[in-house]
Amino acid sequence: GAVVSQHPSRVICKSGTSVKIECRSLDFQATTMFWYRQFPKQSLMLMATSNEGSKATYEQGVEKDKFLINHASLTLSTLTVTSAHPEDSSFYICSAREGRGNTEAFFGQGTRLTVV
Amino acid sequence: DAKTTQPPSMDCAEGRAANLPCNHSTISGNEYVYWYRQIHSQGPQYIIHGLKNNETNEMASLIITEDRKSSTLILPHATLRDTAVYYCIVTPSGSARQLTFGSGTQLTVLP
């Protein structure tokens, strides 16, 4: 299947700093990418939908000024956690679908963010 | 998206078939059934999807009841590496919609 690469896989940062997470579709073009967050022992929760060339759509309760999303090309979306705090520590996962038909979504390997 | 109901956990002996049920009684005509799994600390992995016919691929088989209100994912010969959380997701076709994850079933394959 198609490959979605996420980088970094793990990051530790100090409280108050910003962290950027990259999500790349390696062998297909993804007009839409999705960002999820997963806390321990919980399911994935959608944070935002990233559209190439336009503003991201955020789910209710997700601060768009804190979680900056940029989808500058058909193969790359980035999530920047600004002014990170310990409560932002989580597992962040991106996914992408090829085209607009009923194709399966492919997921990155996830990024474990720890804010100390 | 239609709501799905899955048992929270299941055990299966290594080498035996693992049958994971999913109830989606409110599914509508244009909604597909997708199965993903998540091995600990990894991103979800696509397994299989279907509309109304049974489907089979190299990983698993998907059996959808005639009324489409439930389905079963079958791993024919479970291995220890199949231990994961399995998610059954119902989503409409024809759009690049996000997937909504429920709580899934924790499958533990026992040696």
Side-chain angles (χ1 to χ4, degrees), chain A residues 29-83:
Chain A
Q29 294 186 331
T31 55
T32 303
M33 292 185 177
F34 307 97
W35 288 94
Y36 295 81
R37 181 168 53 182
Q38 185 176 33
F39 292 107
K41 299 189 184 301
Q42 294 185 23
S43 190
L44 286 76
M45 295 297 294
L46 181 69
M47 298 175 65
T49 301
S50 167
N51 299 296
E52 188 267 336
S54 64
K55 291 184 178 180
T57 303
Y58 291 82
E59 296 299 300
Q60 191 173 8
V62 178
E63 300 174 55
K64 63 180 181 180
D65 295 330
K66 181 170 183 61
F67 298 99
L68 300 180
I69 292 173
N70 183 284
H71 193 160
S73 77
L74 287 171
T75 59
L76 173 64
S77 175
T78 61
L79 168 68
T80 302
V81 183
T82 63
S83 187

Side-chain angles (χ1 to χ4, degrees), chain B residues 3 28 80 97:
Chain B
K3 179 179 169 57
S28 60
L80 298 179
R97 287 170 60 103

Side-chain angles (χ1 to χ4, degrees), chain A residues 32 34 36 38 42-44 46 49 59 91 93 97 99-105 107-110 112, chain B residues 32 34 36 38 41-46 49 87 91-103:
Chain A
T32 303
F34 307 97
Y36 295 81
Q38 185 176 33
Q42 294 185 23
S43 190
L44 286 76
L46 181 69
T49 301
E59 296 299 300
F91 192 52
I93 307 166
R97 290 178 97 150
R100 297 190 65 81
N102 194 41
T103 57
E104 59 269 29
F107 288 79
Q109 66 268 46
R112 175 75 59 193
Chain B
Y32 283 68
Y34 278 79
Y36 282 80
Q38 185 179 25
S41 293
Q42 297 183 22
Q45 177 188 23
Y46 166 80
H49 76 281
Y87 296 99
T91 188
S93 64
S95 67
R97 287 170 60 103
Q98 72 279 4
L99 298 174
T100 301
F101 287 80
S103 53

Side-chain angles (χ1 to χ4, degrees), chain B:
Chain B
D1 297 352
K3 179 179 169 57
T4 62
T5 304
Q6 299 177 253
S9 64
M10 293 181 65
D11 291 342
C12 175
E14 188 178 18
R16 304 296 293 268
N19 297 282
L20 293 95
C22 179
N23 183 286
H24 31 79
S25 58
T26 60
I27 192 170
S28 60
N30 69 338
E31 290 184 311
Y32 283 68
V33 180
Y34 278 79
W35 283 83
Y36 282 80
R37 72 180 182 184
Q38 185 179 25
I39 297 171
H40 183 62
S41 293
Q42 297 183 22
Q45 177 188 23
Y46 166 80
I47 301 173
I48 199 167
H49 76 281
L51 182 61
K52 53 183 178 181
N53 296 322
N54 297 337
E55 302 288 345
T56 296
N57 62 21
E58 64 278 4
M59 288 184 68
S61 294
L62 173 60
I63 308 299
I64 302 174
T65 58
E66 193 168 339
D67 63 7
R68 303 210 320 126
K69 292 185 177 181
S70 66
S71 60
T72 301
L73 178 73
I74 301 172
L75 307 179
H77 305 286
T79 71
L80 298 179
R81 287 178 293 181
D82 292 322
T83 293
V85 178
Y86 287 76
Y87 296 99
C88 168
I89 300 168
V90 172
T91 188
S93 64
S95 67
R97 287 170 60 103
Q98 72 279 4
L99 298 174
T100 301
F101 287 80
S103 53
T105 296
Q106 170 66 59
L107 174 69
T108 303
V109 180
L110 303 172

Side-chain angles (χ1 to χ4, degrees), chain A residues 11-32:
Chain A
V11 59
I12 300 173
C13 71
K14 292 185 177 180
S15 187
T17 62
S18 296
V19 174
K20 179 184 286 188
I21 302 169
E22 292 187 349
C23 179
R24 295 180 185 273
S25 57
L26 296 186
D27 51 2
F28 67 98
Q29 294 186 331
T31 55
T32 303

